Amino acid sequence: MSLTTIAEAVGGRLADVIDPGVQVTEPAVFDSREAGPGSLFVALAGEHADGHAFAESAHNKGAVVALVNRPVGVPAIVVDDVLHAFGTLAHSLLTGPLAATRVVAITGSAGKTSTKDFVSQVLPGSVVATPQSFNNEIGLPLTVTMADTTTDHLVLEMGARHIGDIRDLTLVAPPDISIVTNVGTAHIGEFGGRDNIAEAKGEIVEALAPGGLAVLNADDDYVQPMRERAGGSVVTFGLGEDADVRATDLSTDAHGRTSFTLVTPEGSAPVQLQFVGGVQVHNSLAAAAVGRGAGLTPEEIAARLSRAVPRSRWRMETVTRADGVTVVNDAYNANPTSVRHALEALASMSGGAEQRSVAVLGRMNELGDDARAAHEEIGRHAAAQGLDMIVLVGGDEAGWMRDGVRDAGGRATWVPDQEAALGLLHPALRPGDVVLVKASRAVQLQRLVEELLKPAPPAGRLTGGSR
């Protein structure tokens, strides 16, 4: 798009532009270090830095223009509200040059990213999907700019912390297909209850135009009523016999990967997932329903699901050290639903003296008044899995989990920080052990994973002490 066209689309004016016919040919960027020839630099003012100060740097790296709220001395499009204008630009792309691209929108309290990874690998043709978890008012329009006129499907995560957030995102990118994975307790402190979470998640279904497709979890009592909010057709997925797309004959291998028979109205076919954790069955079934809507046969869908691999980092990312210790990095984020699923996956990956299970857990954020009860419940759930060692990292929340473990008759070690956790784990781990590391993103437990993956001192004994 030319600078003139972009300025008209967002209601802005050109500043310091020599040739308004110059075109933006590459995706937008927010980080000036990622700017390159043909890109659009979006200058956002954040808590710690103002993007306007980096517009010149982006220009020097080849950015064609900056989207700004004031002139910055390099070619720019000046608007009143940069973020609003960027959303407007994304919408104009989807209603203009990208009008033939079908939008698949995904929301849910847990599983959005894994479902996105499955969907993007099941759909035929050219697919662009949300990178990492860029699922808000910044990341969603950024993803839209990554598509071009050859893109058949645009797969977008949509996250929310308040009622109305998803509605706003669907105004930017109206969905042709909407998926709701589940309604759990993520961000419950912000929403004030699961009913409000369900109200917010259902906005993605209400946004469907006539002829759209809603893909809903048949096993979630909060998701099923959303069929009444759908303007188009509805396909359900799950394990029950009433689901349109379902899984039967489930089994799990020693690596925590599930195989099952995919059952659809058109027939059935065997699937062997490469993703770790039983929860991935539901995520893959959602993708199967989308593939079915795209006209794929059960055999084609099953083959694509079986080939699909995790594409997003720090989500049950599994690495085995040279000494045979397996580290499962699920430290990208955490809520009660995802932590329970991760603990169950850990239990399925281990067993016996030669393959011991170790859970390293940190706090879950944004739980509000439910925080203590939720952390205690996770402690009880961890104890119920029969794990060999539970290490709880941090402050009060770790103590609450420790209380839950004790209530359930288990034992846990509570340490104040990652350094203490590393000092405990390095001498204790031995070949065959499986270590799960999980917490909310702000805890930054991926740093502990990085240290655990480095060569370890000589192995010692695994103990289950408590504090």
Side-chain angles (χ1 to χ4, degrees):
M1 300 176 71
S2 71
L3 304 193
T4 300
T5 303
I6 295 173
E8 290 174 351
V10 302
R13 63 181 178 85
L14 299 177
D16 300 303
V17 171
I18 297 175
D19 181 4
V22 171
Q23 292 192 333
V24 173
T25 58
E26 296 297 322
V29 297
F30 292 98
D31 188 334
S32 61
R33 293 168 296 186
E34 297 178 359
S39 63
L40 165 73
F41 176 66
V42 183
L44 287 180
E47 293 182 11
H48 306 293
D50 185 347
H52 291 75
F54 301 93
E56 184 177 359
S57 175
H59 174 72
N60 292 338
K61 289 181 176 293
V64 173
V65 71
L67 189 62
V68 298
N69 61 23
R70 61 182 184 272
V72 287
V74 297
I77 298 171
V78 182
V79 296
D80 292 333
D81 184 326
V82 173
L83 187 56
H84 177 76
F86 191 41
T88 301
L89 174 61
H91 182 77
S92 71
L93 287 170
L94 288 171
T95 55
L98 301 180
T101 300
R102 289 177 60 79
V103 174
V104 181
I106 305 170
T107 196
S109 296
K112 293 187 294 294
T113 300
S114 294
T115 300
K116 171 204 68 182
D117 286 351
F118 276 120
V119 170
S120 64
Q121 294 174 78
V122 165
L123 282 170
S126 173
V127 180
V128 170
T130 301
Q132 302 179 48
S133 284
F134 287 6
N135 59 23
N136 61 10
E137 69 277 13
I138 300 173
L140 183 137
L142 177 68
T143 306
V144 173
T145 71
M146 296 169 62
D148 60 32
T149 54
T150 68
T151 303
D152 298 300
H153 295 92
L154 185 59
V155 183
L156 301 173
E157 288 187 49
M158 294 188 177
R161 283 180 167 81
H162 308 91
I163 290 176
D165 286 353
I166 290 177
R167 183 177 295 114
D168 290 343
L169 295 176
T170 61
L171 291 175
V172 174
D176 298 292
I177 301 172
S178 293
I179 303 172
V180 184
T181 61
N182 50 58
V183 172
T185 53
H187 313 304
I188 197 168
E190 302 286 335
F191 282 105
R194 288 185 75 184
D195 287 337
N196 288 340
I197 295 174
E199 177 66 25
K201 301 301 183 185
E203 293 168 359
I204 204 169
V205 177
E206 291 178 342
L208 285 169
L213 174 66
V215 178
L216 304 178
N217 186 343
D219 298 333
D220 190 309
D221 292 338
Y222 283 86
V223 175
Q224 271 303 290
M226 294 179 191
R227 64 168 55 244
E228 304 301 324
R229 301 166 68 177
S233 57
V234 175
V235 173
T236 61
F237 63 92
L239 303 182
E241 292 187 359
D242 58 339
D244 299 314
V245 177
R246 58 194 179 95
T248 63
D249 308 319
L250 279 71
S251 63
T252 304
D253 66 16
H255 301 287
R257 301 172 303 194
T258 304
S259 62
F260 61 90
T261 300
L262 172 67
V263 180
T264 75
E266 294 75 31
S268 61
V271 175
Q272 172 62 67
L273 297 181
Q274 304 303 312
F275 287 61
V276 172
V279 68
Q280 302 297 352
V281 174
H282 275 84
N283 298 335
S284 67
L285 289 175
V290 174
R292 177 174 174 263
L296 299 179
T297 67
E299 292 78 12
E300 289 171 329
I301 295 169
R304 289 168 183 253
L305 288 177
S306 298
R307 290 195 300 267
V309 294
R311 288 180 170 175
S312 302
R313 297 211 59 197
W314 306 343
R315 293 168 179 83
M316 298 303 284
E317 185 177 10
T318 304
V319 178
T320 300
R321 300 189 326 198
D323 64 355
V325 173
T326 297
V327 181
V328 182
N329 183 354
D330 201 28
Y332 191 86
N333 219 333
N335 60 64
T337 300
S338 67
V339 176
R340 284 194 295 271
H341 290 156
L343 289 168
E344 291 161 8
L346 171 63
S348 73
M349 297 172 68
S350 56
E354 300 303 319
Q355 199 173 35
R356 301 174 304 169
S357 53
V358 181
V360 183
L361 306 175
R363 74 174 183 271
M364 302 174 290
N365 288 340
E366 299 181 348
L367 297 177
D369 294 339
D370 294 328
R372 180 165 193 150
H375 283 88
E376 289 176 348
E377 174 56 31
I378 286 299
R380 288 189 288 271
H381 193 72
Q385 304 308 307
L387 308 177
D388 294 288
M389 187 177 186
I390 301 171
V391 180
L392 308 170
V393 183
D396 290 342
E397 295 86 355
W400 297 337
M401 286 190 282
R402 187 275 313 269
D403 293 343
V405 173
R406 287 181 171 178
D407 289 346
R411 295 189 300 168
T413 302
W414 178 13
V415 297
D417 52 37
Q418 297 190 44
E419 183 178 358
L422 185 66
L424 175 70
L425 291 166
H426 256 334
L429 298 175
R430 67 190 190 201
D433 291 345
V434 183
V435 186
L436 167 72
V437 182
K438 187 163 182 65
S440 280
R441 180 70 182 275
V443 183
Q444 297 286 294
L445 276 191
Q446 76 274 3
R447 297 175 180 171
L448 176 61
V449 173
E450 292 171 0
E451 294 300 318
L452 285 174
L453 291 177
K454 294 178 181 178
R461 294 180 58 83
L462 183 67
T463 61
S466 61
R467 168 184 148 186

